[in-house]
């Protein structure tokens, strides 16, 4: 019984430490300012009509 409680206590302690470190890491990420996407970068979307390659129609 003592062995069970000692193992349980060790696992709970490790779990609490990992939780504390993960919350602190998440808070650091929220404090950093978000970077805005540059307006000069534009995503180019290609449609099938603009494509120069030819495709066979599925039958």
């Amino acid at each position: 019984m003592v062995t069970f409680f000692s193992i349980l206590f060790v696992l709970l302690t490790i779990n609490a430490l990992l939780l504390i470190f993960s919350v602190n890491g998440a808070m650091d990420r929220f404090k950093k300012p978000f970077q805005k996407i540059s307006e000069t970068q534009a995503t180019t979307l290609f449609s099938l009509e603009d494509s120069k390659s030819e495709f066979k129609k599925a039958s």
Side-chain angles (χ1 to χ4, degrees):
M1 194 68 148
V2 174
T3 306
F4 171 75
F5 283 121
S6 62
I7 293 172
L8 181 66
F9 179 70
V10 168
L11 290 175
L12 287 174
T13 305
I14 292 171
N15 192 14
L17 288 173
L18 290 174
L19 180 66
I20 289 169
F21 286 125
S22 68
V23 168
N24 285 340
M27 291 302 288
D28 290 341
R29 278 182 254 148
F30 282 123
K31 289 179 184 176
K32 291 180 185 177
F34 291 103
Q35 294 179 353
K36 292 185 179 180
I37 297 175
S38 171
E39 292 179 5
T40 59
Q41 291 180 337
T43 305
T44 307
L45 299 176
F46 297 102
S47 67
L48 291 177
E49 291 84 23
D50 293 339
S51 145
K52 296 192 182 201
S53 61
E54 295 182 14
F55 296 99
K56 293 181 180 179
K57 186 175 180 180
S59 47

